[in-house]
Amino acid sequence: MARKITIYHLYPNNMNLYGDLGNITALEKRCLWRGIETEVVNVNVGDTVDFSKADILFMGGGQDTGQKIVASDLQEKGQAIREQIQGGLSALLVCGGFQLFGHYFKTLEGNQIKGISVFDAYTIASNRRLIGNVVTDITHNLADWKIEYGFDVTEKNITTLTGFENHSGQTHLNPGLLPFGYIIEGYGNDSNKQYEGARFKNAYGTYLHGSLLPKNPHLTDHFIMAAIARRYGVKEALAPLDDTIELEAHQASTTRAKTAKTVSL
Amino acid sequence: MYNIIMRKFIAIVAAEFARALVMITKKGSGSALPGVFAQKVDPKIIGKLAKMIKGGVIIVTGTNGKTTTAKMIASILETAGHRVIYNFSGSNLSRGIASFLVQKTSFWGTRIDGDIGIFEVDEATMPEILSMVQPKYIVVTNLFRDQLDRYGEVDKTAALIGKALAMAKDTTILLNGDDPLVASLSSYNSKVQYFGVNDKYQTLSKGAIDSRNCISCGHELTFSPRYYGHLGNYKCSNCGLSRPNLDYSITDMSFTVESSKATFNAPNMKTDISISLPGLYNLYNALAAASIASDYGIPETTIITALLKLSAAFGRMEKIKIGEKNIYLMLVKNPTGFTQTIETLTFDKDKKNILIALNDNFADGTDVSWIWDAEVEIINNYYSNFTVSGIRGDDMLLRLKYADFDTAKITKELDLKKALESALKKVDDGETLYILPTYTAMLEIRKNLANQGLVKGYLE
């Protein structure tokens, strides 16, 4: 049966700092290669949109100026986004996107930029920039992914995510909110080298770019599968793809996280 | 007074000592350490030595094209008979500039070996240099995203350059008028002139990643046309901001894979120029150089001759003959530059032999996510052989896969030396291997070629 999923890309004009387009490309191609139709809807400042039409929501990172412009616009869309995520909408929020989906971002000057409180978390700017390759353990998510969608990620023997972080904001998760991953290499949400990102229902916040999805195909496929399950009410396995090149890039990034020096400026 | 002179003298001695140390121990290229020593002794050494350059200093800054533009200006001024000194050995941070100035100064610190200085200055270093030097000209080439892991973000870079421009008193400032962010720097110093392109040229690239929002109101800009990245004849339909009137422009451009032509228009001249470098971005560099030269009063014929005979800056774009085969090195370091370089390979329809070498050492930028913003799709139908290499060659191959390349036809050889050998084997006599390396990959390739006696080493 023909399937189609719609990807809402939030603020591509302002929040596209670190190869974020690669994430959209990965979703599109892995659908295309399986005969699943995709549509990408770019949502920019001032646009009126119906989030019930979205199957996957994506937002990337931006420069400070970009972040300020979108923050107030996002407030107007916040209620609708929260409702959809409560109802199981898949979302990937990278870096600045992750920060603005928390309660607030407190700048160095002490100003609070309001977020939309999808995640019970807040971010505080610091003078220190956390930069480098990252590897996280995401085993705790995999059981859910498997049970809900019949997709056994562990068969592929990857229980990690890998990417690159570059942020000066330090994000703190309130008790009860699960991190997306546990740090194996790199810094993560703050300088404690413990937690990376956050997960609420099927919304995942993370500092990992690089781009994240192309070299973490298990995560990409999870989003596609969850989107189809929610849209069509069926849990179906995706046609397998040859992921040799993806997994070699995953391995190369993992190795680099161990060998290259991380920097904090 | 005595103290000030002594201090300068001791700083020079310290730097010379460091240079000797570098030579004896053969450690490093020697381009930065003497400067570090000199600045330790006398933090104001750059200002003091720069003052001795009688014809003044020209500063070139911006994301892409600094080295090539500086080299073009130098070539024109040298052809006009000036004795030009410039920091081309690589380091464009303050320690590198201090090093090169000390090197050009006599031992007693009384003479400097040149009548015009050209400083290629890193964007973030601009405020420090302007606190010591009052240049005759500053040219800002463009502002793109560069190695973000080092500086943060392009808006911050613009603010740093702006801070420096505000300190310039009797300086003629030349801004790229086609770049909205660069043009907006006039808010820091009104004594500016603009250069840009007036042509029907349309880029193949979609340029999706570069900020194309109005600097003043945030609304999306319209371009008619857009030349590349966020450069073009722009206008904001919301607040009315538009490209400033150009004082210097190029028109009637034409390109081949290895050369470019255009008509240069200045208040005092209109002339055809031709350079043996491909790509619109190199014409922008030539435009910036010719603009300064014409304002400086250099005759038309000198500008034409100097630009024509010029070769590319170190490793930026370099043609090397290997027996009956050619290697063409084209440095890549950020998404816009990468997309532009790839686009030049499509200027003729011949299928190309391509080697991309992606490293992620500090000098390359440790974050390789920018390859996802480069429009590699553009060359999908323009290659006969394709090799990927370098520390992050796996990431490059993955990028190509998601650009719909047939990855079965691409060779992955992470070891650069082996990749170079195997890629060259596939090149027929008379053909060219186009190598697109990041910075440290470029150095590694040059070292390999130097070992074979094909190019000069790093310490020329």
Side-chain angles (χ1 to χ4, degrees):
Chain A
M1 192 190 157
R3 303 283 188 223
K4 181 186 169 182
I5 60 170
T6 306
I7 302 158
Y8 273 40
H9 187 178
L10 287 175
Y11 311 112
N13 291 355
N14 302 92
M15 305 293 278
N16 58 4
L17 195 52
Y18 298 113
D20 291 319
L21 281 176
N23 292 317
I24 302 290
T25 306
L27 288 167
E28 285 183 293
K29 295 293 176 190
R30 295 182 74 81
C31 283
L32 175 80
W33 293 335
R34 293 166 164 132
I36 301 165
E37 200 187 325
T38 55
E39 184 187 349
V40 178
V41 176
N42 289 330
V43 180
N44 282 304
V45 171
D47 292 351
T48 314
V49 285
D50 177 1
F51 284 100
S52 71
K53 298 222 162 59
D55 297 313
I56 298 175
L57 194 64
F58 174 77
M59 182 165 162
Q63 307 193 48
D64 289 353
T65 45
Q67 213 139 315
K68 267 177 215 148
I69 293 169
V70 307
S72 62
D73 188 81
L74 190 61
Q75 284 304 316
E76 290 166 28
K77 300 176 166 72
Q79 179 64 26
I81 292 174
R82 272 192 305 274
E83 278 170 15
Q84 291 301 321
I85 285 174
Q86 276 291 351
L89 173 65
S90 295
L92 176 63
L93 302 319
V94 178
C95 204
F98 172 36
Q99 294 170 346
L100 289 178
F101 271 56
H103 296 305
Y104 61 83
F105 179 92
K106 192 172 174 186
T107 65
L108 275 181
E109 298 78 33
N111 303 322
Q112 277 196 13
I113 300 174
K114 214 166 165 242
I116 58 169
S117 300
V118 164
F119 298 119
D120 187 12
Y122 58 95
T123 303
I124 301 195
S126 82
N127 282 315
R128 194 171 170 214
R129 245 190 134 74
L130 307 175
I131 302 171
N133 295 287
V134 182
V135 184
T136 66
D137 181 346
I138 55 160
T139 313
H140 66 293
N141 298 299
L142 300 184
D144 283 358
W145 294 4
K146 184 178 171 181
I147 291 162
E148 283 175 35
Y149 309 113
F151 171 65
D152 190 353
V153 177
T154 49
E155 268 176 18
K156 294 199 174 186
N157 201 24
I158 14 176
T159 54
T160 54
L161 283 188
T162 184
F164 196 95
E165 66 182 327
N166 182 353
H167 54 107
S168 55
Q170 305 227 349
T171 300
H172 305 277
L173 312 182
N174 284 327
L177 181 66
L178 274 181
F180 188 177
Y182 295 89
I183 288 291
I184 298 172
E185 298 288 340
Y187 292 100
N189 289 345
D190 51 34
S191 25
N192 290 329
K193 299 191 170 189
Q194 199 176 356
Y195 303 126
E196 204 294 311
R199 176 187 173 186
F200 174 71
K201 298 215 165 195
N202 214 22
Y204 297 84
T206 180
Y207 277 111
L208 302 189
H209 56 267
S211 301
L212 178 66
L213 292 184
K215 56 176 155 260
N216 294 285
H218 48 319
L219 178 61
T220 319
D221 283 359
H222 164 68
F223 279 119
I224 295 169
M225 218 161 349
I228 289 175
R230 181 167 176 260
R231 175 66 54 196
Y232 296 95
V234 287
K235 291 171 187 173
E236 53 191 22
L238 296 176
L241 297 172
D242 179 356
D243 286 329
T244 312
I245 292 172
E246 283 81 351
L247 297 183
E248 278 171 359
H250 185 95
Q251 189 51 51
S253 173
T254 303
T255 306
R256 204 57 182 145
K258 290 182 168 64
T259 57
K261 262 190 260 171
T262 48
V263 200
S264 89
L265 296 176
Chain B
M1 186 64 194
Y2 175 76
N3 257 338
I4 293 169
I5 293 170
M6 266 318 279
R7 194 167 191 143
K8 180 168 89 176
F9 173 64
I10 295 167
I12 293 169
V13 171
E16 291 299 339
F17 172 72
R19 189 186 316 284
L21 209 64
V22 170
M23 292 300 233
I24 292 162
T25 60
K26 293 202 161 88
K27 277 193 178 138
S29 70
S31 78
L33 193 63
V36 174
F37 273 49
Q39 285 183 301
K40 272 259 168 355
V41 176
D42 185 349
K44 294 274 168 209
I45 189 76
I46 292 176
K48 288 175 187 170
L49 297 182
K51 270 203 193 89
M52 303 198 305
I53 307 171
K54 295 201 174 58
V57 168
I58 299 168
I59 286 179
V60 184
T61 194
T63 311
N64 287 341
K66 285 190 288 287
T67 308
T68 305
T69 303
K71 202 172 170 187
M72 285 171 164
I73 299 169
S75 170
I76 296 171
L77 294 174
E78 277 170 348
T79 308
H82 290 283
R83 282 186 311 131
V84 182
I85 55 172
Y86 42 76
N87 59 326
F88 286 167
S89 55
S91 176
N92 55 21
L93 306 174
S94 76
R95 54 179 186 262
I97 292 162
S99 277
F100 115 84
L101 283 173
V102 167
Q103 195 188 349
K104 297 292 177 187
T105 306
S106 64
F107 186 72
W108 297 102
T110 49
R111 276 182 303 105
I112 195 154
D113 182 27
D115 58 22
I116 296 180
I118 302 175
F119 297 5
E120 173 195 329
V121 180
D122 176 82
E123 302 89 285
T125 306
M126 283 294 285
E128 188 187 346
I129 298 298
L130 262 289
S131 73
M132 294 182 277
V133 180
Q134 279 297 324
K136 198 171 173 65
Y137 292 97
I138 297 175
V139 54
V140 186
T141 57
N142 49 53
L143 281 170
F144 291 110
R145 290 181 197 170
D146 201 12
Q147 300 154 16
L148 292 159
D149 50 324
R150 206 181 300 169
Y151 295 137
E153 299 155 352
V154 66
D155 292 342
K156 284 182 189 145
T157 308
L160 284 170
I161 296 177
K163 190 177 162 194
L165 295 186
M167 287 189 260
K169 300 279 185 297
D170 292 311
T171 306
T172 301
I173 298 166
L174 272 128
L175 301 178
N176 187 336
D178 290 345
D179 183 327
L181 189 55
V182 171
S184 77
L185 293 173
S186 62
S187 65
Y188 292 92
N189 189 325
S190 56
K191 213 183 151 195
V192 300
Q193 298 183 9
Y194 298 99
F195 61 91
V197 174
N198 272 322
D199 196 278
K200 292 186 294 293
Y201 180 88
Q202 270 293 2
T203 176
L204 291 175
S205 106
K206 295 182 187 74
I209 48 110
D210 269 294
S211 169
R212 287 191 274 157
N213 292 331
C214 179
I215 303 292
S216 109
C217 74
H219 197 265
E220 196 171 340
L221 294 169
T222 51
F223 288 84
S224 59
R226 186 171 64 84
Y227 300 121
Y228 77 89
H230 58 255
L231 306 191
N233 187 4
Y234 59 88
K235 196 176 170 125
C236 176
S237 60
N238 187 44
C239 74
L241 178 98
S242 63
R243 180 175 78 167
N245 289 326
L246 302 176
D247 302 284
Y248 305 91
S249 67
I250 45 174
T251 51
D252 303 303
M253 306 188 296
S254 63
F255 301 97
T256 73
V257 173
E258 294 180 9
S259 69
S260 331
K261 283 181 188 167
T263 304
F264 170 65
N265 309 277
N268 56 355
M269 68 177 72
K270 181 182 168 88
T271 183
D272 290 340
I273 55 169
S274 164
I275 55 172
S276 56
L277 298 171
L280 177 52
Y281 55 106
N282 278 316
L283 272 185
Y284 266 106
N285 298 334
L287 167 61
S291 303
I292 286 187
S294 67
D295 189 73
Y296 204 84
I298 307 288
E300 197 176 306
T301 48
T302 310
I303 296 175
I304 297 169
T305 319
L307 286 177
L308 189 64
K309 72 180 180 195
L310 177 120
S311 60
F314 174 79
R316 297 302 190 279
M317 207 159 273
E318 194 171 11
K319 199 168 183 176
I320 300 154
K321 220 169 165 46
I322 298 190
E324 294 302 308
K325 301 172 182 181
N326 299 305
I327 283 180
Y328 207 56
L329 273 175
M330 308 165 100
L331 180 74
V332 291
K333 52 178 189 167
N334 47 37
T336 309
F338 198 173
T339 303
Q340 270 288 294
T341 302
I342 285 168
E343 192 168 352
T344 64
L345 296 181
T346 68
F347 286 159
D348 66 38
K349 303 299 163 212
D350 297 345
K351 302 260 182 201
K352 307 291 186 299
N353 302 289
I354 296 168
L355 166 62
I356 297 182
L358 179 66
N359 276 358
D360 68 347
N361 295 312
F362 186 73
D364 304 295
T366 52
D367 180 2
V368 296
S369 61
W370 60 271
I371 62 172
W372 291 91
D373 290 325
E375 294 172 59
V376 295
E377 288 84 356
I378 290 174
I379 38 163
N380 198 348
N381 294 315
Y382 288 89
Y383 69 93
S384 49
N385 293 296
F386 210 121
T387 307
V388 294
S389 183
I391 300 165
R392 298 305 284 265
D394 288 297
D395 288 74
M396 196 63 233
L397 183 60
L398 183 62
R399 173 71 190 96
L400 296 174
K401 178 175 177 180
Y402 281 78
D404 291 326
F405 282 66
D406 180 358
T407 51
K409 288 190 189 155
I410 299 173
T411 308
K412 180 178 86 177
E413 173 51 69
L414 300 186
D415 183 286
L416 256 177
K417 190 169 185 264
K418 288 182 192 157
L420 191 59
E421 279 166 14
S422 81
L424 262 178
K425 263 194 202 121
K426 291 179 202 140
V427 175
D428 291 334
D429 282 355
E431 282 192 356
T432 302
L433 173 63
Y434 293 90
I435 306 181
L436 283 67
T438 57
Y439 189 73
T440 66
M442 184 269 289
L443 294 182
E444 209 177 320
I445 289 165
R446 275 190 120 263
K447 198 174 143 199
N448 269 305
L449 297 173
N451 289 344
Q452 298 172 49
L454 296 166
V455 293
K456 287 179 195 161
Y458 190 48
L459 281 169
E460 292 182 5

